[in-house]
Amino acid sequence: MWQTFISVLPLALASAISVTSILLFLAILVAGENQARNGFAFILGGLLSLAAIAFIVVFPFTKADSGSSPNYALHAVFDFALAFVCVIMVIRTWLNRHKTKPEKQIKKSGGFLEYFAIGLVIRLVSANTLPPYIGAVKDISGAKLAIVGDVVLCILIILISMSTILLPYLLFIFNKEAARKIIDPANVFLKKNKNIINNTLLIVVAVYLCYHGFIHLNHII
């Protein structure tokens, strides 16, 4: 089980770098009221979204691999498809590099359900982190572990994917002053380098997914 975890750890770490999610969450923490409550709602929505994605991805691959051996062709195709999506998003970002997008704002008056919905949706639309996350949970399902092993590893992957949100939240809960000292420069850095971070991450993920795809093809040959 832990060998599988090590193999998918790079993808899990890549899925944690959702710049849009981080920026929105930091905006919640610097809002004027109910930061702890709204932050918790945002996190809860994100966790539920990732859990739903994991279930949707794991189930068909578990069914496909329920025979005597995994369907290596299916896994290879999936890896190459995810890598292709990464490349397309890099090209799309490069083509739109001169376009300015309005900065997303968090309304201070939003309630628990509103922030829960934001946390839920933002993970679904953070396209740059979906390919590595899907790749990670897909490989977990393809490892043919016991159900308990699948559940444990999926939970670990979800927590790692949410770590860039969870860690600032825990720091904010226990030490608001220290959190603010980190949040302000982090905001500036992420806003300035958002496209560079996303594109670099997507290129690395695409290469890693292709590597995984060729490994699966070697099993067929």
Side-chain angles (χ1 to χ4, degrees), residues 38 40 47 85 92 104 157 170 172 208:
N38 296 337
F40 176 75
L47 290 172
V85 170
R92 181 174 176 270
K104 294 185 173 94
I157 296 305
L170 291 175
F172 179 84
Y208 193 76

Side-chain angles (χ1 to χ4, degrees), residues 47-63:
L47 290 172
L48 181 61
S49 179
L50 292 178
I53 294 171
F55 177 80
I56 293 172
V57 173
V58 167
F59 179 74
F61 275 97
T62 301
K63 296 286 288 183

